[in-house]
Amino acid sequence: MRAEELLNRIIDENLAGNQHAELTVSLFNAAMNGFAKIGDPTGVQRILRRMEQLRGEYDHLGHLKPDAFSMSTLATAWAKSRSAEAATKAVNILNYMDLKKVTPTTITYNAVLHALAVGDQVDKAIKAEDIVNRMEERYEAGEDCKPDIYSYRACIQAWATTSMPGSPQKAEQILRFLDRESERGNKGLSPNCYCFTTTISAWAKSSEKGRARSAYELLQYMRKRYMENYSKKLKPTVATFTAVLNACSYPLYSSEREDSFKIAELTMAELAIGVYDKPNFLSYAAFLAVCASCLDHGGFREKIALDTFEQCKAAGQVGQIVVRKLEEAASPGLFDELVGSYRQEDGSFELPRAWTMCIEGERNSAPRTYRVRLHDKNDLPESSRVRMQEVQRYRGRSGIYSSGSAPMRLEADGINW
């Protein structure tokens, strides 16, 4: 990398006696930051080792000691690396800093929290909560590590991507904590659209009973908060509505099929109005998935599938995922009538440009999924096992963000169809 090459040239000049080639920790940090941005912890570690080597071999370079920013950069590199060991490595950075008497800052902690949130450890959310709790305690003791919105957002993301019973309740618990803090005047902790959407996604990915209604109620509360504050960061987006639609698809209990479809129908209608955003290919695909999983085969299901596809065509949002979900929702005859003539020999579909002209961001590869790495029970600390059992048992009625009761929804009096 160019930054490392320039750093090495300055090092050579300094060692050759050039007084103008001054070596500072900031210079090394800048070179490391280039590797961190592309998720290359190996490059960051190489520069750190070079710094340590120079400090040990040359008396005039004894000031080259890694600081909090250096460690934050390494943690960021691990977080962006998507490595299976990223979370463990990032947490170990905090232990190393304690050993070297380097005080972590909020930036350092947030980098570690991000590594945990995108990792695959089964107890990552527990560890994330522990780190935030540690930040709060050390901030009270005078350290510069006050948890900010990004700290709590990482906690929400960690719970949202943990496939464990009780996870969506825990994510919502943190969201409600942020909302209470905002109401008390702490505007720095005001939950934003990402916090709400991630929490709704937690419900969508869960196996909890009533997940569709819980997701929709959160959307309604988000809309209420937006109307009260008219804050752009609280405005629901198409991703928020789509998360609710995902929560309605493939209900785990047959008794929830009718309710899930009604919620999805209402959500799609609200999105189509265009006050907040407009449906995209993912929204149409999600609604078709709801049709396929909540409606029985027959004329009504055929009509809904046909109407949805026609709306999708008119919007220029017929992505490949829409075609796949249409195949699930429509009868073979209707599917062939609508898109059969565009099927290629390899099974793909070459769709008219007018059908796809407004699509943004569709990936050819499969979407990234969050996999939680399974551990043997004996691999986890006893404290983590106990707390995970509490989450599954109490469903968000215990923990550092709870007052002892389940999260209350002001909007939970019912949904008016």
Side-chain angles (χ1 to χ4, degrees), residues 140-308:
E140 292 295 328
E143 293 185 11
D144 182 22
C145 58
K146 184 178 182 180
D148 59 15
I149 187 63
Y150 298 103
S151 312
Y152 294 106
R153 197 174 87 167
C155 268
I156 292 175
Q157 184 180 358
W159 280 114
T161 53
T162 300
S163 56
M164 182 174 67
S167 295
Q169 290 93 332
K170 291 292 290 186
E172 185 173 339
Q173 193 182 85
I174 300 171
L175 176 70
R176 298 293 179 164
F177 164 78
L178 293 174
D179 195 48
R180 289 196 302 271
E181 288 297 306
S182 176
E183 287 289 280
R184 292 169 181 163
N186 190 353
K187 298 304 179 184
L189 293 183
S190 298
N192 54 25
C193 178
Y194 181 90
C195 295
F196 274 94
T197 302
T198 304
T199 304
I200 292 172
S201 294
W203 280 106
K205 296 171 185 175
S206 75
S207 301
E208 299 291 332
K209 191 172 184 178
R211 64 182 184 180
R213 184 171 289 270
S214 294
Y216 184 76
E217 287 172 354
L218 265 182
L219 171 63
Q220 297 313 303
Y221 184 66
M222 182 182 182
R223 291 174 60 190
K224 174 177 177 290
R225 299 290 284 135
Y226 169 68
M227 296 300 294
E228 290 173 349
N229 298 281
Y230 285 101
S231 172
K232 288 185 178 180
K233 68 179 185 178
L234 271 174
K235 185 178 181 180
T237 65
V238 63
T240 313
F241 284 87
T242 303
V244 176
L245 293 171
N246 286 331
C248 298
S249 62
Y250 308 107
L252 299 173
Y253 304 92
S254 58
S255 60
E256 295 184 354
R257 292 176 67 201
E258 181 180 356
D259 195 44
S260 295
F261 177 73
K262 288 182 178 179
I263 292 173
E265 195 173 33
L266 187 58
T267 301
M268 197 66 177
E270 291 172 355
L271 176 59
I273 292 173
V275 173
Y276 300 100
D277 215 332
K278 294 181 179 180
N280 64 9
F281 66 100
L282 292 174
S283 312
Y284 288 112
F287 188 68
L288 285 169
V290 174
C291 295
S293 57
C294 295
L295 298 178
D296 294 327
H297 290 284
F300 181 68
R301 175 165 153 175
E302 291 281 272
K303 181 180 183 305
I304 295 295
L306 174 60
D307 290 347
T308 303

Side-chain angles (χ1 to χ4, degrees), residues 4 35 39-49 74 77-78 81:
E4 187 177 18
F35 286 104
D40 184 1
T42 302
V44 177
Q45 289 172 325
R46 185 168 58 248
I47 295 176
L48 277 172
R49 284 194 294 269
L74 179 57
W78 278 114
S81 71

